[in-house]
Amino acid sequence: MSQYQATAIAHPNIAFIKYWGERDPTLHLPASGSLSMNLDGLYTRTRVTFDPSLEQDRLILNGQHLTGPPVRRVVAVLERIRQMAGMTWRAEVVSVNNFPAGAGIASSASAFAALSLAASAAAGLNLSEAQLSRLARLGSGSACRSVPQGFVEWQAGEGDEDSYAFSIAPPEHWDLADCIALVSQAHKLVSSAQGHTLATTSPLHHARIAHVPQLLQQCRQAILERDFAALAQVTEQDCHLMHAVMMTSTPPLIYWQPATLAIMQSVVEWRKSGWPVCYTIDAGPNVHVICPAPYAAQVSEGLKLIPGVEQVLIAHPGGAARLELS
Ligand code: DP6
């Protein structure tokens, strides 16, 4: 690896306690803390090369040269790195996801975590995990949670300095599985970025945000004690709270499809019959069904039988963003 080129890998993450609504849309300072698990098996690999012959930053994602808003978010992260390293060279960013584009899994978290690590290393910076997490946050809020390993909490903080994520437990702490039921491969109608700005139009937003510290405490404790029933209860409650905020925004955001609700109902039935399972849903119709790993095969088979479920991906707790040595 030369000083001006580096490659990094990072996983996406699924939040048990969600980030929805921002205090600062440029720095992505969240309205509240959030808590998530990295998803092993799914990843973004990003190579960054600073090159004095480039006139502007270039982004090649899954083989396609991109322009417009995605590049602006990448440039925001690169600009901060150039500032820190005292360099002016532009960069070429080549990024590949091992999960299909439009598979219903947000790739921006893994993408900006990998970008922050690769670009800072390529610029010769040796940043702490907290600094990397803050950098990733500038690209996409939830990306700050894909920097540390395993089970991760993002503290809202007061400002840019102290709004970053840290690990509360390594991936091997608890062998959970996330069975991701893909209902639709269509692109989101309203992006999370737009959605965050609408949160405050819901009269329920402030009530949810006031309640989040308690939810975080319950979720943290459930994870540390490996108490699945407690994790299931708090995860579904916050999923419902966030979607209640979305649905009562102006204009309303309704991400669910009929199959989304069919999966939710099946999960509740399975739980009544004794399976340890729960669900959570992000800004889209796909459902993340969480269970202890030994139940993943039967949960996945059950999900495939539900009309409208196109595919099921299974992920386990994932590690931190890491450099790849060439
Ligand atoms: C509903 O602004 O981080 O997934 O569109 O991927 O940049 P991107 O999303 P971001 O918001 C994520 C919102 C969420 C909840 C969560 O992951 O906490």
Side-chain angles (χ1 to χ4, degrees), residues 21-102:
E22 295 179 324
R23 284 172 295 145
D24 182 323
T26 310
L27 294 173
H28 299 306
L29 299 178
S32 72
S34 53
L35 215 158
S36 60
M37 176 178 95
N38 285 348
L39 300 177
D40 192 24
L42 310 177
Y43 61 82
T44 299
R45 173 184 280 113
T46 299
R47 189 189 71 207
V48 176
T49 314
F50 285 98
D51 179 344
S53 71
L54 287 174
E55 282 179 8
Q56 46 186 345
D57 295 315
R58 280 162 54 85
L59 171 62
I60 296 151
L61 178 60
N62 296 323
Q64 276 198 321
H65 187 178
L66 296 190
T67 52
V71 187
R72 281 199 284 280
R73 296 211 278 165
V74 167
V75 172
V77 174
L78 293 172
E79 279 300 331
R80 177 68 74 96
I81 289 171
R82 280 191 279 261
Q83 221 177 50
M84 293 170 94
M87 75 171 349
T88 55
W89 293 359
R90 307 286 126 176
E92 181 189 67
V93 176
V94 181
S95 194
V96 180
N97 298 324
N98 80 332
F99 45 100

Side-chain angles (χ1 to χ4, degrees), residues 13-15 17-20 22 28 34 73 106-109 139-143 145 154 188 191-193 196 242 246 281-283:
N13 65 74
I14 180 66
I17 306 300
K18 309 289 191 185
Y19 146 55
W20 195 248
E22 295 179 324
H28 299 306
S34 53
R73 296 211 278 165
S107 57
S108 52
S140 156
S142 57
R145 297 190 310 239
W154 174 9
K188 292 184 204 180
S191 70
S192 298
H196 288 298
M242 180 183 74
M246 292 165 158
I281 305 158
D282 282 342

